[in-house]
Amino acid sequence: MRFHPGGWLGGVLLFCLAWTAYGGRFEILPSLYAGFQTEGVAVSADGSVVVGSSGTPSGQRAFRWTEATGTVALPVLAGVTMTWATDVSSDGAWIAGYGGSSFGTRNGWKAFRYHIDGSMDVIEAAGGGIWGKGISGDGQRLAGTSQGAGATDPAVAFTWTVSDGVVPLSGPLYPAPAPTNANAISADGAVIVGDTNNGVSGNGFRWTQQTGMVAVGNFSATATSRDGSVVVGAITTDEGFQAYRWTEIDGIVELPHPGFGPGYTASALGVSGDGSRVVGYIENQSTDLRQAFIWDDIHGNILLKELLENAYGYDLTGWNLTKAYAISDDGNAVVGRGYSPQGADVGFRVFLTPEPSTVTLMLFMGAAGLLRRRGRTQERGNSC
């Protein structure tokens, strides 16, 4: 949906949007080599540091980006040809990730923890593979997945520190050998979220030292808030995958995407520090079109592109923002991946500050809902 203002509502919206158009920033994350793909997958607490991966002639490379430095490749681990950065500490100094040389085998994949001073911890699994997925706010604890070299060796979620090394998470949701996979860790390092799969069905889980693995969804758990009290991910429903937000009090709350009928699925990929904002993507199953979204409990689910165009005044004609992977601790910076009007596959960072007023966004959402209802009414009328 692209908003075309008209009538009294359009006039009010134009006034409000003009007032907020100065806010927000939409920035492309340049690739390490011209013409290659980039994606921003994690962001520091204040939004100033972005990490992700970029294509190069010799394979995918992990990078760290700031406005001052631009896109800077991380060192390549010995014995691997491809690396990915998956998470970053609150201050942007520590980075988690992994690297390998062949997608056809688990052997030789290594996890790493990198610091901007140039030091790097390499974490290996003897004869198998290991993947670093999340890092605590202080950069001292990692979470990820390890798998042995044997054909029947299950994947095992783990936590890691310099002093303790790799420690498998206990309390699987299914009898062994149920694979477990860790996707993220809370800023305080006390909560890890991920998913399990016994070959037939899976569960999103939330792990603490006290509780072990506790199910929080019937498919995946992908991200958690600063203190681990909010978990987001995807659940399976009669309509396919749908995004959710979980708390101990409310349980699973599906994040609806009004205006999108049957045939659409959604997944939540990131959540702000206080758990109030969620980002992810919505997908049309019939066309495979993906669109990034942002959600909060005041405004509901909004396509990120529409928000930037209609509340911040950007002209994003021809752009397709496909995924929002992460949102900063303060909820003001979103990073992800999309396609430019020229078809370039690029990473992006969006700043949503100063935030549009609640009235502005409520008007925007109200207008969007009216226009979508009007469109459906016209479709019904045309079919008669």
PDB file of all heavy atoms in Angstrom, residues 130 141-147 154-161 164-172 180 182 192 205 207-209 212-213:
ATOM      1  N   ILE A 130      31.148 -25.693  14.816  1.00  0.00           N
ATOM      2  CA  ILE A 130      30.576 -24.875  15.876  1.00  0.00           C
ATOM      3  C   ILE A 130      30.252 -23.495  15.310  1.00  0.00           C
ATOM      4  O   ILE A 130      31.003 -22.949  14.496  1.00  0.00           O
ATOM      5  CB  ILE A 130      31.546 -24.798  17.079  1.00  0.00           C
ATOM      6  CG1 ILE A 130      30.851 -24.223  18.304  1.00  0.00           C
ATOM      7  CG2 ILE A 130      32.821 -24.070  16.745  1.00  0.00           C
ATOM      8  CD1 ILE A 130      31.588 -24.507  19.604  1.00  0.00           C
ATOM      9  N   ARG A 141      30.096 -13.406  27.084  1.00  0.00           N
ATOM     10  CA  ARG A 141      29.466 -14.723  26.955  1.00  0.00           C
ATOM     11  C   ARG A 141      28.865 -14.874  25.557  1.00  0.00           C
ATOM     12  O   ARG A 141      28.207 -13.961  25.064  1.00  0.00           O
ATOM     13  CB  ARG A 141      28.382 -14.910  28.020  1.00  0.00           C
ATOM     14  CG  ARG A 141      27.739 -16.300  28.029  1.00  0.00           C
ATOM     15  CD  ARG A 141      26.745 -16.436  29.168  1.00  0.00           C
ATOM     16  NE  ARG A 141      27.409 -16.390  30.463  1.00  0.00           N
ATOM     17  CZ  ARG A 141      27.928 -17.445  31.087  1.00  0.00           C
ATOM     18  NH1 ARG A 141      27.864 -18.643  30.510  1.00  0.00           N
ATOM     19  NH2 ARG A 141      28.494 -17.305  32.260  1.00  0.00           N
ATOM     20  N   LEU A 142      29.107 -16.028  24.960  1.00  0.00           N
ATOM     21  CA  LEU A 142      28.537 -16.351  23.660  1.00  0.00           C
ATOM     22  C   LEU A 142      27.497 -17.457  23.806  1.00  0.00           C
ATOM     23  O   LEU A 142      27.506 -18.215  24.767  1.00  0.00           O
ATOM     24  CB  LEU A 142      29.623 -16.830  22.693  1.00  0.00           C
ATOM     25  CG  LEU A 142      30.267 -15.808  21.761  1.00  0.00           C
ATOM     26  CD1 LEU A 142      30.999 -14.737  22.553  1.00  0.00           C
ATOM     27  CD2 LEU A 142      31.217 -16.507  20.780  1.00  0.00           C
ATOM     28  N   ALA A 143      26.622 -17.537  22.809  1.00  0.00           N
ATOM     29  CA  ALA A 143      25.688 -18.661  22.684  1.00  0.00           C
ATOM     30  C   ALA A 143      25.713 -19.119  21.242  1.00  0.00           C
ATOM     31  O   ALA A 143      25.938 -18.322  20.324  1.00  0.00           O
ATOM     32  CB  ALA A 143      24.281 -18.243  23.092  1.00  0.00           C
ATOM     33  N   GLY A 144      25.499 -20.400  21.032  1.00  0.00           N
ATOM     34  CA  GLY A 144      25.515 -20.916  19.676  1.00  0.00           C
ATOM     35  C   GLY A 144      25.196 -22.387  19.625  1.00  0.00           C
ATOM     36  O   GLY A 144      24.551 -22.940  20.519  1.00  0.00           O
ATOM     37  N   THR A 145      25.691 -23.038  18.576  1.00  0.00           N
ATOM     38  CA  THR A 145      25.387 -24.439  18.325  1.00  0.00           C
ATOM     39  C   THR A 145      26.658 -25.178  17.951  1.00  0.00           C
ATOM     40  O   THR A 145      27.471 -24.669  17.173  1.00  0.00           O
ATOM     41  CB  THR A 145      24.364 -24.577  17.184  1.00  0.00           C
ATOM     42  OG1 THR A 145      23.200 -23.817  17.505  1.00  0.00           O
ATOM     43  CG2 THR A 145      23.978 -26.033  16.970  1.00  0.00           C
ATOM     44  N   SER A 146      26.825 -26.383  18.509  1.00  0.00           N
ATOM     45  CA  SER A 146      27.980 -27.219  18.213  1.00  0.00           C
ATOM     46  C   SER A 146      27.491 -28.582  17.742  1.00  0.00           C
ATOM     47  O   SER A 146      26.439 -29.058  18.174  1.00  0.00           O
ATOM     48  CB  SER A 146      28.850 -27.388  19.462  1.00  0.00           C
ATOM     49  OG  SER A 146      29.938 -28.260  19.224  1.00  0.00           O
ATOM     50  N   GLN A 147      28.259 -29.196  16.836  1.00  0.00           N
ATOM     51  CA  GLN A 147      27.875 -30.511  16.344  1.00  0.00           C
ATOM     52  C   GLN A 147      29.119 -31.345  16.084  1.00  0.00           C
ATOM     53  O   GLN A 147      30.088 -30.867  15.476  1.00  0.00           O
ATOM     54  CB  GLN A 147      27.051 -30.401  15.059  1.00  0.00           C
ATOM     55  CG  GLN A 147      26.395 -31.698  14.644  1.00  0.00           C
ATOM     56  CD  GLN A 147      25.318 -31.484  13.598  1.00  0.00           C
ATOM     57  OE1 GLN A 147      25.226 -30.430  12.985  1.00  0.00           O
ATOM     58  NE2 GLN A 147      24.489 -32.502  13.392  1.00  0.00           N
ATOM     59  N   PRO A 154      24.033 -35.238  17.310  1.00  0.00           N
ATOM     60  CA  PRO A 154      23.055 -34.160  17.216  1.00  0.00           C
ATOM     61  C   PRO A 154      23.708 -32.795  17.386  1.00  0.00           C
ATOM     62  O   PRO A 154      24.789 -32.671  17.962  1.00  0.00           O
ATOM     63  CB  PRO A 154      22.118 -34.454  18.391  1.00  0.00           C
ATOM     64  CG  PRO A 154      23.011 -35.093  19.407  1.00  0.00           C
ATOM     65  CD  PRO A 154      23.994 -35.915  18.623  1.00  0.00           C
ATOM     66  N   ALA A 155      23.061 -31.778  16.877  1.00  0.00           N
ATOM     67  CA  ALA A 155      23.462 -30.409  17.183  1.00  0.00           C
ATOM     68  C   ALA A 155      23.109 -30.120  18.636  1.00  0.00           C
ATOM     69  O   ALA A 155      22.086 -30.599  19.141  1.00  0.00           O
ATOM     70  CB  ALA A 155      22.746 -29.431  16.263  1.00  0.00           C
ATOM     71  N   VAL A 156      23.937 -29.347  19.312  1.00  0.00           N
ATOM     72  CA  VAL A 156      23.731 -29.064  20.726  1.00  0.00           C
ATOM     73  C   VAL A 156      23.931 -27.568  20.970  1.00  0.00           C
ATOM     74  O   VAL A 156      24.969 -27.006  20.618  1.00  0.00           O
ATOM     75  CB  VAL A 156      24.715 -29.863  21.617  1.00  0.00           C
ATOM     76  CG1 VAL A 156      24.520 -29.510  23.081  1.00  0.00           C
ATOM     77  CG2 VAL A 156      24.535 -31.359  21.397  1.00  0.00           C
ATOM     78  N   ALA A 157      22.936 -26.921  21.575  1.00  0.00           N
ATOM     79  CA  ALA A 157      23.068 -25.518  21.943  1.00  0.00           C
ATOM     80  C   ALA A 157      24.075 -25.388  23.075  1.00  0.00           C
ATOM     81  O   ALA A 157      24.167 -26.257  23.950  1.00  0.00           O
ATOM     82  CB  ALA A 157      21.723 -24.955  22.368  1.00  0.00           C
ATOM     83  N   PHE A 158      24.832 -24.283  23.061  1.00  0.00           N
ATOM     84  CA  PHE A 158      25.851 -24.119  24.095  1.00  0.00           C
ATOM     85  C   PHE A 158      25.967 -22.663  24.511  1.00  0.00           C
ATOM     86  O   PHE A 158      25.499 -21.743  23.838  1.00  0.00           O
ATOM     87  CB  PHE A 158      27.217 -24.607  23.593  1.00  0.00           C
ATOM     88  CG  PHE A 158      27.846 -23.707  22.552  1.00  0.00           C
ATOM     89  CD1 PHE A 158      28.601 -22.594  22.923  1.00  0.00           C
ATOM     90  CD2 PHE A 158      27.691 -23.971  21.202  1.00  0.00           C
ATOM     91  CE1 PHE A 158      29.174 -21.758  21.969  1.00  0.00           C
ATOM     92  CE2 PHE A 158      28.267 -23.144  20.241  1.00  0.00           C
ATOM     93  CZ  PHE A 158      29.003 -22.032  20.626  1.00  0.00           C
ATOM     94  N   THR A 159      26.637 -22.468  25.645  1.00  0.00           N
ATOM     95  CA  THR A 159      27.091 -21.159  26.072  1.00  0.00           C
ATOM     96  C   THR A 159      28.600 -21.245  26.269  1.00  0.00           C
ATOM     97  O   THR A 159      29.140 -22.314  26.569  1.00  0.00           O
ATOM     98  CB  THR A 159      26.386 -20.701  27.359  1.00  0.00           C
ATOM     99  OG1 THR A 159      26.865 -19.412  27.745  1.00  0.00           O
ATOM    100  CG2 THR A 159      26.610 -21.676  28.485  1.00  0.00           C
ATOM    101  N   TRP A 160      29.298 -20.101  26.095  1.00  0.00           N
ATOM    102  CA  TRP A 160      30.763 -20.095  26.142  1.00  0.00           C
ATOM    103  C   TRP A 160      31.276 -18.861  26.861  1.00  0.00           C
ATOM    104  O   TRP A 160      30.741 -17.757  26.669  1.00  0.00           O
ATOM    105  CB  TRP A 160      31.330 -20.129  24.727  1.00  0.00           C
ATOM    106  CG  TRP A 160      32.825 -19.961  24.635  1.00  0.00           C
ATOM    107  CD1 TRP A 160      33.764 -20.942  24.596  1.00  0.00           C
ATOM    108  CD2 TRP A 160      33.556 -18.723  24.576  1.00  0.00           C
ATOM    109  NE1 TRP A 160      35.032 -20.404  24.511  1.00  0.00           N
ATOM    110  CE2 TRP A 160      34.928 -19.032  24.497  1.00  0.00           C
ATOM    111  CE3 TRP A 160      33.177 -17.373  24.585  1.00  0.00           C
ATOM    112  CZ2 TRP A 160      35.917 -18.058  24.431  1.00  0.00           C
ATOM    113  CZ3 TRP A 160      34.167 -16.390  24.517  1.00  0.00           C
ATOM    114  CH2 TRP A 160      35.520 -16.744  24.437  1.00  0.00           C
ATOM    115  N   THR A 161      32.280 -19.055  27.687  1.00  0.00           N
ATOM    116  CA  THR A 161      33.070 -17.974  28.256  1.00  0.00           C
ATOM    117  C   THR A 161      34.537 -18.382  28.185  1.00  0.00           C
ATOM    118  O   THR A 161      34.851 -19.567  28.002  1.00  0.00           O
ATOM    119  CB  THR A 161      32.700 -17.682  29.723  1.00  0.00           C
ATOM    120  OG1 THR A 161      32.991 -18.836  30.516  1.00  0.00           O
ATOM    121  CG2 THR A 161      31.236 -17.298  29.868  1.00  0.00           C
ATOM    122  N   ASP A 164      35.152 -20.881  31.188  1.00  0.00           N
ATOM    123  CA  ASP A 164      34.471 -22.172  31.204  1.00  0.00           C
ATOM    124  C   ASP A 164      34.549 -22.917  29.887  1.00  0.00           C
ATOM    125  O   ASP A 164      34.285 -24.127  29.841  1.00  0.00           O
ATOM    126  CB  ASP A 164      32.995 -21.981  31.570  1.00  0.00           C
ATOM    127  CG  ASP A 164      32.810 -21.433  32.965  1.00  0.00           C
ATOM    128  OD1 ASP A 164      33.701 -21.645  33.802  1.00  0.00           O
ATOM    129  OD2 ASP A 164      31.769 -20.787  33.215  1.00  0.00           O
ATOM    130  N   GLY A 165      34.867 -22.236  28.807  1.00  0.00           N
ATOM    131  CA  GLY A 165      34.836 -22.871  27.504  1.00  0.00           C
ATOM    132  C   GLY A 165      33.410 -23.154  27.057  1.00  0.00           C
ATOM    133  O   GLY A 165      32.462 -22.496  27.496  1.00  0.00           O
ATOM    134  N   VAL A 166      33.239 -24.164  26.203  1.00  0.00           N
ATOM    135  CA  VAL A 166      31.923 -24.527  25.671  1.00  0.00           C
ATOM    136  C   VAL A 166      31.181 -25.394  26.683  1.00  0.00           C
ATOM    137  O   VAL A 166      31.679 -26.440  27.092  1.00  0.00           O
ATOM    138  CB  VAL A 166      32.066 -25.277  24.335  1.00  0.00           C
ATOM    139  CG1 VAL A 166      30.710 -25.797  23.866  1.00  0.00           C
ATOM    140  CG2 VAL A 166      32.690 -24.372  23.282  1.00  0.00           C
ATOM    141  N   VAL A 167      29.994 -24.951  27.075  1.00  0.00           N
ATOM    142  CA  VAL A 167      29.163 -25.692  28.030  1.00  0.00           C
ATOM    143  C   VAL A 167      27.816 -25.969  27.373  1.00  0.00           C
ATOM    144  O   VAL A 167      27.050 -25.040  27.108  1.00  0.00           O
ATOM    145  CB  VAL A 167      28.960 -24.900  29.329  1.00  0.00           C
ATOM    146  CG1 VAL A 167      28.048 -25.673  30.284  1.00  0.00           C
ATOM    147  CG2 VAL A 167      30.291 -24.568  29.984  1.00  0.00           C
ATOM    148  N   PRO A 168      27.489 -27.235  27.077  1.00  0.00           N
ATOM    149  CA  PRO A 168      26.191 -27.553  26.468  1.00  0.00           C
ATOM    150  C   PRO A 168      25.047 -27.151  27.383  1.00  0.00           C
ATOM    151  O   PRO A 168      25.150 -27.256  28.617  1.00  0.00           O
ATOM    152  CB  PRO A 168      26.247 -29.075  26.284  1.00  0.00           C
ATOM    153  CG  PRO A 168      27.703 -29.405  26.308  1.00  0.00           C
ATOM    154  CD  PRO A 168      28.338 -28.415  27.239  1.00  0.00           C
ATOM    155  N   LEU A 169      23.960 -26.702  26.792  1.00  0.00           N
ATOM    156  CA  LEU A 169      22.779 -26.358  27.583  1.00  0.00           C
ATOM    157  C   LEU A 169      22.042 -27.624  27.977  1.00  0.00           C
ATOM    158  O   LEU A 169      21.878 -28.538  27.166  1.00  0.00           O
ATOM    159  CB  LEU A 169      21.844 -25.446  26.788  1.00  0.00           C
ATOM    160  CG  LEU A 169      22.437 -24.130  26.278  1.00  0.00           C
ATOM    161  CD1 LEU A 169      21.341 -23.259  25.682  1.00  0.00           C
ATOM    162  CD2 LEU A 169      23.145 -23.380  27.401  1.00  0.00           C
ATOM    163  N   SER A 170      21.575 -27.655  29.196  1.00  0.00           N
ATOM    164  CA  SER A 170      20.885 -28.842  29.708  1.00  0.00           C
ATOM    165  C   SER A 170      19.382 -28.656  29.626  1.00  0.00           C
ATOM    166  O   SER A 170      18.877 -27.559  29.423  1.00  0.00           O
ATOM    167  CB  SER A 170      21.299 -29.089  31.158  1.00  0.00           C
ATOM    168  OG  SER A 170      20.953 -27.983  31.979  1.00  0.00           O
ATOM    169  N   GLY A 171      18.676 -29.763  29.797  1.00  0.00           N
ATOM    170  CA  GLY A 171      17.230 -29.725  29.834  1.00  0.00           C
ATOM    171  C   GLY A 171      16.581 -29.713  28.478  1.00  0.00           C
ATOM    172  O   GLY A 171      15.767 -28.844  28.194  1.00  0.00           O
ATOM    173  N   PRO A 172      16.900 -30.666  27.576  1.00  0.00           N
ATOM    174  CA  PRO A 172      16.269 -30.676  26.248  1.00  0.00           C
ATOM    175  C   PRO A 172      14.774 -30.908  26.357  1.00  0.00           C
ATOM    176  O   PRO A 172      14.297 -31.573  27.275  1.00  0.00           O
ATOM    177  CB  PRO A 172      16.968 -31.832  25.535  1.00  0.00           C
ATOM    178  CG  PRO A 172      17.459 -32.714  26.636  1.00  0.00           C
ATOM    179  CD  PRO A 172      17.813 -31.796  27.768  1.00  0.00           C
ATOM    180  N   THR A 180      19.428 -29.323  19.374  1.00  0.00           N
ATOM    181  CA  THR A 180      19.061 -28.019  19.916  1.00  0.00           C
ATOM    182  C   THR A 180      19.952 -26.960  19.296  1.00  0.00           C
ATOM    183  O   THR A 180      21.134 -27.188  19.033  1.00  0.00           O
ATOM    184  CB  THR A 180      19.219 -27.989  21.447  1.00  0.00           C
ATOM    185  OG1 THR A 180      20.572 -28.320  21.797  1.00  0.00           O
ATOM    186  CG2 THR A 180      18.272 -28.974  22.113  1.00  0.00           C
ATOM    187  N   ALA A 182      20.896 -22.739  19.532  1.00  0.00           N
ATOM    188  CA  ALA A 182      20.763 -21.446  20.205  1.00  0.00           C
ATOM    189  C   ALA A 182      20.837 -20.324  19.181  1.00  0.00           C
ATOM    190  O   ALA A 182      21.740 -20.318  18.333  1.00  0.00           O
ATOM    191  CB  ALA A 182      21.855 -21.268  21.253  1.00  0.00           C
ATOM    192  N   ILE A 192      19.060 -17.627  27.235  1.00  0.00           N
ATOM    193  CA  ILE A 192      19.375 -18.011  25.862  1.00  0.00           C
ATOM    194  C   ILE A 192      18.104 -18.548  25.220  1.00  0.00           C
ATOM    195  O   ILE A 192      17.346 -19.288  25.852  1.00  0.00           O
ATOM    196  CB  ILE A 192      20.486 -19.070  25.822  1.00  0.00           C
ATOM    197  CG1 ILE A 192      21.794 -18.470  26.365  1.00  0.00           C
ATOM    198  CG2 ILE A 192      20.695 -19.606  24.403  1.00  0.00           C
ATOM    199  CD1 ILE A 192      22.903 -19.477  26.553  1.00  0.00           C
ATOM    200  N   PHE A 205      12.576 -22.392  22.414  1.00  0.00           N
ATOM    201  CA  PHE A 205      12.818 -22.548  23.841  1.00  0.00           C
ATOM    202  C   PHE A 205      13.441 -21.291  24.425  1.00  0.00           C
ATOM    203  O   PHE A 205      14.067 -20.487  23.736  1.00  0.00           O
ATOM    204  CB  PHE A 205      13.698 -23.772  24.129  1.00  0.00           C
ATOM    205  CG  PHE A 205      15.149 -23.637  23.718  1.00  0.00           C
ATOM    206  CD1 PHE A 205      16.048 -22.879  24.468  1.00  0.00           C
ATOM    207  CD2 PHE A 205      15.624 -24.292  22.595  1.00  0.00           C
ATOM    208  CE1 PHE A 205      17.383 -22.764  24.104  1.00  0.00           C
ATOM    209  CE2 PHE A 205      16.960 -24.190  22.222  1.00  0.00           C
ATOM    210  CZ  PHE A 205      17.837 -23.416  22.979  1.00  0.00           C
ATOM    211  N   TRP A 207      15.975 -20.627  27.771  1.00  0.00           N
ATOM    212  CA  TRP A 207      16.809 -21.351  28.731  1.00  0.00           C
ATOM    213  C   TRP A 207      17.362 -20.403  29.772  1.00  0.00           C
ATOM    214  O   TRP A 207      17.822 -19.297  29.458  1.00  0.00           O
ATOM    215  CB  TRP A 207      17.967 -22.040  28.015  1.00  0.00           C
ATOM    216  CG  TRP A 207      18.956 -22.715  28.927  1.00  0.00           C
ATOM    217  CD1 TRP A 207      18.958 -24.025  29.309  1.00  0.00           C
ATOM    218  CD2 TRP A 207      20.089 -22.114  29.571  1.00  0.00           C
ATOM    219  NE1 TRP A 207      20.007 -24.287  30.159  1.00  0.00           N
ATOM    220  CE2 TRP A 207      20.730 -23.114  30.335  1.00  0.00           C
ATOM    221  CE3 TRP A 207      20.614 -20.819  29.583  1.00  0.00           C
ATOM    222  CZ2 TRP A 207      21.865 -22.873  31.102  1.00  0.00           C
ATOM    223  CZ3 TRP A 207      21.749 -20.562  30.343  1.00  0.00           C
ATOM    224  CH2 TRP A 207      22.374 -21.583  31.095  1.00  0.00           C
ATOM    225  N   THR A 208      17.328 -20.844  31.032  1.00  0.00           N
ATOM    226  CA  THR A 208      18.083 -20.210  32.109  1.00  0.00           C
ATOM    227  C   THR A 208      18.731 -21.327  32.916  1.00  0.00           C
ATOM    228  O   THR A 208      18.336 -22.500  32.824  1.00  0.00           O
ATOM    229  CB  THR A 208      17.200 -19.370  33.050  1.00  0.00           C
ATOM    230  OG1 THR A 208      16.335 -20.237  33.797  1.00  0.00           O
ATOM    231  CG2 THR A 208      16.360 -18.359  32.268  1.00  0.00           C
ATOM    232  N   GLN A 209      19.708 -20.975  33.723  1.00  0.00           N
ATOM    233  CA  GLN A 209      20.371 -21.966  34.558  1.00  0.00           C
ATOM    234  C   GLN A 209      19.389 -22.622  35.514  1.00  0.00           C
ATOM    235  O   GLN A 209      19.490 -23.815  35.827  1.00  0.00           O
ATOM    236  CB  GLN A 209      21.499 -21.303  35.349  1.00  0.00           C
ATOM    237  CG  GLN A 209      22.390 -22.278  36.107  1.00  0.00           C
ATOM    238  CD  GLN A 209      23.235 -23.132  35.185  1.00  0.00           C
ATOM    239  OE1 GLN A 209      23.878 -22.624  34.283  1.00  0.00           O
ATOM    240  NE2 GLN A 209      23.240 -24.440  35.412  1.00  0.00           N
ATOM    241  N   GLY A 212      16.354 -24.565  32.957  1.00  0.00           N
ATOM    242  CA  GLY A 212      16.656 -25.363  31.781  1.00  0.00           C
ATOM    243  C   GLY A 212      15.865 -24.836  30.596  1.00  0.00           C
ATOM    244  O   GLY A 212      15.480 -23.670  30.561  1.00  0.00           O
ATOM    245  N   MET A 213      15.593 -25.698  29.629  1.00  0.00           N
ATOM    246  CA  MET A 213      14.857 -25.279  28.427  1.00  0.00           C
ATOM    247  C   MET A 213      13.362 -25.363  28.664  1.00  0.00           C
ATOM    248  O   MET A 213      12.830 -26.416  28.983  1.00  0.00           O
ATOM    249  CB  MET A 213      15.236 -26.148  27.237  1.00  0.00           C
ATOM    250  CG  MET A 213      16.666 -25.967  26.769  1.00  0.00           C
ATOM    251  SD  MET A 213      17.024 -27.026  25.371  1.00  0.00           S
ATOM    252  CE  MET A 213      18.757 -26.626  25.115  1.00  0.00           C
TER     253      MET A 213
END
